[in-house]
Amino acid sequence: MCFCTYFCSVFAASPYYDLVIVGGNPGGIMAAIAAACLGKSSVILERTKYVGGLPANGLGATDIGTRAATTGLFREFVDRVKKHYVDTYGENSEQALLCSDGYHFEPSVGAKVFNEMLDEYKGKITVLKMRQFDSESQNIVMRDNSIESIRILNRETGETEIYTGHIFLDATYEGDLGAAANVPFRTGREGRNEFGEPGAGRVYKYWGGPEAEGSTFQQDNAVQSYNYRMCLTNNPSNRVPFKKPAHYNREEYASIVEDVWTGRTTNVAMMTNTDEMMEENRRHIKAGNPSKLPADRWGIARITNIVHVPNAKTDANNQHDAFLSTDLPEENWPWPTSSWEWRDCFAQRLREYTEGLFWFAQNDPELPPHFRKAVAEWGLAKDEYTDNGNFPRQVYVREGRRFEGMYFFTANDAIPVVAGGRPPLHATSITASHYALDSHAVRKREKGRVHLDGFLSYPSAVYTVPYGVMVPKEVDNLLLPVPVSGSHIGFSTLRMEPCWMAMGQAAGVAAHLAIADNVKTRNVDVAKLQDILLKQHVTLYYFRDVPYTHPDFPQIEKLALQGYLPDWDARLDEPIDADTLAQWRRLSRLPLENAVAGQTKRLDVLKMID
């Protein structure tokens, strides 16, 4: 049988779904759930044996700047996490306290909650694991600017499977489906001259301090580093010691020795730490003491940034103040556009590098003995990732392909227009979100530099995310809720899991509307989309004084997106002043005859407009 005949026969027999979602990370999960709530069927095609992405693989300290900014299904996930700890251990238990209202959790709990949410929609959501999409032209069939079907490798059987559907979603961290559909994308860093963004291009910056010598702000092909978010414990009964990896190379870690003895860090404190102070610190440590220099850390915190989660476990990330930690810069640059064969090799390399780092810190004789002893108190959690040597199953891919969609998000979309004010208002908002402009290093340690190239953070404010960031310009039935459209620095704030969950939810609703109204994804009625999202308790425009539980929340949100409430507080119960009343009359083109300045509450006037 020729290939064309075989392909057509399989295509005819393949099941049809309203949504075909490539990627079982939180963005893909929330898209499926949001669509299922509206009666649409989905299939989630996940490459690994597990769904949940990074929150099920060590990222248990939720990255969010303003918790109330992002709600909807993300908030439901958080509330379910909290309920798990309260129900299991008691409302006043240490576990319930350490879960931080559901924002901090163990990897196994994150996985459990995602699976429970999916299980409630078994009739509408099909989850298929060990299904791999390779970003090659022969694995996608397109007709008239639409995706008809995709070919998937079943990694368990080795067979090829065909999936057809109405709307396709790329929920991969890498952007593999969008690339196969020929959506234009970027990797690397834009220069400051392109969008005028802080942190753009090549930047050396003290952690918590100013930019420094060597910063050129020029564009390049560098990709921010990846790592594993480690679940560690210092509980002896649940601790598994680190083993020396097969390909251990001491030279990779040797520079840590002098950093520990002297207290040298990348922190802004180094601007005032002198060579004399560091030599005195060496003598202090040699006498059996921990480091005494400002901002220096001792023991495990020197190697990895620790956030405590319940049951004596951690979310252990790269240490921002260190020249060498769990990130592995430079070597990951090919990841976004490489094959899965290459990615799997890098994942193993990164695992052995990470294991070697902890082994070095616990065993190398050139390190202070009491430093090694302090690090040795920690190991892997015995009850996590029990089928993977207690090691996370998934690389933290902070940034893959970034597509060029209907709207291109930059740092300027997340920075206040005026001091103390809001970032630009997007009337097509699908969620509010907030995290700093945040990128990890792109290069390893360089002599004479104050920090690693590209390791930076700049403040932002709660912003609105426009629908266009996940909509391609030309492919008619594709949405990109994870590898969204933006610059390196703009993407650096959108890339946090709460925002990805919110964009996934919006993608699920948008897919429903595209099917129901028989329109292209770029022609979805955004007003309808926003109405449904508001019914699903999504915050589109954040106020400090109007929670999503407020009885008039949907009406307030819609008017806010029309420009009625530009301040951080809506002050609904205050009497309206004359200037605001005049502005609202002009904006609404209504006389508002029953509104009296100084007497009528602002909420009552808004109800007259609505």
Side-chain angles (χ1 to χ4, degrees):
M1 181 184 294
C2 73
F3 173 75
C4 291
T5 304
Y6 168 78
F7 185 86
C8 291
S9 65
V10 174
F11 178 84
S14 61
Y16 184 91
Y17 299 92
D18 293 322
L19 282 70
V20 176
I21 301 170
V22 180
N25 64 34
I29 290 171
M30 297 313 183
I33 293 173
C37 290
L38 299 166
K40 297 297 183 290
S41 64
S42 300
V43 60
I44 296 176
L45 302 168
E46 166 56 33
R47 183 179 184 267
T48 71
K49 295 179 181 179
Y50 305 91
V51 296
L54 263 295
N57 281 277
L59 205 168
T62 305
D63 291 321
I64 189 166
T66 299
R67 289 183 173 183
T70 307
T71 53
L73 288 174
F74 163 68
R75 180 56 186 265
E76 181 180 336
F77 170 82
V78 167
D79 289 344
R80 285 175 180 245
V81 168
K82 179 179 179 179
K83 186 176 186 301
H84 164 83
Y85 285 110
V86 170
D87 290 352
T88 306
Y89 302 102
E91 187 173 359
N92 298 316
S93 64
E94 181 182 44
Q95 290 89 343
L97 176 66
L98 283 175
C99 85
S100 190
D101 287 328
Y103 290 85
H104 291 176
F105 49 88
E106 300 156 88
S108 53
V109 172
K112 171 180 177 289
V113 171
F114 281 128
N115 281 301
E116 288 174 350
M117 294 176 75
L118 286 167
D119 285 347
E120 292 176 6
Y121 296 94
K122 277 187 174 178
K124 288 295 181 182
I125 301 174
T126 301
V127 178
L128 299 177
K129 301 167 185 174
M130 297 295 285
R131 299 311 202 273
Q132 175 175 305
F133 178 78
D134 293 293
S135 188
E136 299 172 1
S137 59
Q138 66 265 30
N139 293 326
I140 188 168
V141 174
M142 300 193 65
R143 189 188 305 274
D144 298 329
N145 293 325
S146 290
I147 303 173
E148 269 195 356
S149 65
I150 58 174
R151 296 200 328 164
I152 297 288
L153 172 66
N154 184 323
R155 297 178 65 203
E156 294 179 320
T157 67
E159 299 295 321
T160 295
E161 300 171 346
I162 308 298
Y163 292 89
T164 62
H166 200 127
I167 304 293
F168 289 77
L169 274 70
D170 189 334
T172 65
Y173 290 120
E174 295 81 10
D176 286 339
L177 179 59
N182 291 318
V183 180
F185 65 85
R186 299 186 181 202
T187 59
R189 300 184 291 185
E190 291 80 9
R192 181 170 288 186
N193 63 332
E194 186 166 3
F195 300 111
E197 302 169 286
R202 188 170 188 172
V203 177
Y204 298 92
K205 186 178 184 293
Y206 287 99
W207 187 254
E211 294 158 355
E213 184 179 355
S215 300
T216 66
F217 311 108
Q218 293 177 334
Q219 71 180 79
D220 58 24
N221 65 333
V223 176
Q224 66 171 309
S225 52
Y226 305 162
N227 71 338
Y228 287 100
R229 296 291 282 254
M230 302 297 292
C231 185
L232 307 179
T233 183
N234 60 354
N235 176 7
S237 66
N238 194 38
R239 182 179 63 204
V240 176
F242 281 97
K243 297 178 181 178
K244 187 177 182 179
H247 301 98
Y248 178 74
N249 178 7
R250 181 188 181 276
E251 291 308 305
E252 290 199 285
Y253 318 108
S255 66
I256 295 175
V257 172
E258 272 299 287
D259 289 344
V260 170
W261 279 107
T262 62
R264 184 179 297 278
T265 71
T266 64
N267 192 277
V268 66
M270 289 303 300
M271 294 182 72
T272 54
N273 287 351
T274 64
D275 289 344
E276 291 76 16
M277 291 169 65
M278 287 189 284
E279 285 307 307
E280 169 57 29
N281 196 48
R282 185 194 302 273
R283 292 189 288 271
H284 181 74
I285 292 172
K286 194 172 183 179
N289 303 303
S291 175
K292 66 176 183 178
L293 283 190
D296 193 14
R297 303 169 192 272
W298 193 252
I300 194 73
R302 220 344 166 137
I303 304 302
T304 182
N305 185 61
I306 294 287
V307 177
H308 294 280
V309 300
N311 290 314
K313 299 177 190 176
T314 72
D315 172 351
N317 194 11
N318 190 83
Q319 176 51 261
H320 304 71
D321 287 329
F323 282 102
L324 196 152
S325 182
T326 58
D327 282 352
L328 185 56
E330 297 180 17
E331 297 185 34
N332 67 304
W333 289 11
W335 180 289
T337 58
S338 289
S339 67
W340 276 111
E341 181 181 9
W342 186 95
R343 291 169 182 169
D344 287 341
C345 288
F346 175 79
Q348 180 62 27
R349 155 68 174 146
L350 180 59
R351 175 173 180 163
E352 293 198 357
Y353 166 83
T354 307
E355 292 170 331
L357 171 67
F358 287 100
W359 172 263
F360 174 89
Q362 292 179 342
N363 295 280
D364 195 86
E366 291 192 18
L367 288 167
H370 51 306
F371 178 86
R372 301 198 308 266
K373 182 179 179 181
V375 180
E377 294 175 0
W378 293 84
L380 299 169
K382 186 189 301 183
D383 57 351
E384 297 287 347
Y385 321 119
T386 55
D387 62 346
N388 198 46
N390 309 111
F391 200 89
R393 306 179 185 104
Q394 194 159 351
V395 174
Y396 186 5
V397 178
R398 292 187 173 95
E399 185 174 356
R401 297 177 179 91
R402 308 185 313 276
F403 288 102
E404 296 181 356
M406 295 295 292
Y407 189 88
F408 195 78
F409 194 95
T410 72
N412 301 313
D413 291 294
I415 298 173
V417 176
V418 298
R422 292 180 180 268
L425 166 64
H426 291 292
T428 62
S429 175
I430 53 173
T431 184
S433 191
H434 186 210
Y435 198 75
L437 305 171
D438 175 276
S439 176
H440 282 239
V442 303
R443 287 186 176 84
K444 297 178 182 179
R445 188 173 194 161
E446 299 171 273
K447 187 177 180 179
R449 302 303 186 197
V450 302
H451 203 348
L452 308 179
D453 178 15
F455 208 151
L456 51 83
S457 179
Y458 295 83
S460 68
V462 181
Y463 51 84
T464 51
V465 179
Y467 175 58
V469 300
M470 62 180 182
V471 184
K473 296 176 182 177
E474 295 183 357
V475 184
D476 297 340
N477 65 336
L478 174 65
L479 291 168
L480 309 159
V482 177
V484 293
S485 172
S487 67
H488 163 64
I489 296 295
F491 187 86
S492 76
T493 181
L494 293 175
R495 68 177 179 85
M496 303 305 163
E497 298 289 350
C499 190
W500 271 333
M501 290 192 212
M503 292 189 290
Q505 181 174 0
V509 175
H512 156 76
L513 287 172
I515 295 168
D517 294 344
N518 193 27
V519 296
K520 302 170 183 178
T521 53
R522 62 180 172 275
N523 294 332
V524 163
D525 187 326
V526 175
K528 286 184 180 180
L529 172 60
Q530 291 172 330
D531 282 341
I532 296 173
L533 290 173
L534 288 169
K535 289 176 182 176
Q536 294 183 352
H537 308 298
V538 170
T539 296
L540 303 177
Y541 189 87
Y542 166 74
F543 290 105
R544 292 182 296 203
D545 60 348
V546 186
Y548 73 93
T549 53
H550 191 285
D552 298 297
F553 180 76
Q555 291 75 23
I556 299 304
E557 289 281 286
K558 285 187 281 189
L559 289 170
L561 291 173
Q562 295 174 38
Y564 283 90
L565 297 162
D567 299 327
W568 290 110
D569 296 300
R571 308 191 312 279
L572 299 178
D573 293 328
E574 293 183 13
I576 193 168
D577 61 73
D579 288 344
T580 302
L581 180 57
Q583 291 171 6
W584 289 4
R585 280 173 172 154
R586 287 194 298 271
L587 194 57
S588 66
R589 298 182 181 180
L590 296 173
L592 304 177
E593 296 171 343
N594 295 326
V596 180
Q599 296 184 26
T600 309
K601 289 182 179 181
R602 289 161 61 92
L603 175 59
D604 293 334
V605 181
L606 290 171
K607 287 182 176 180
M608 296 176 195
I609 297 169
D610 185 57

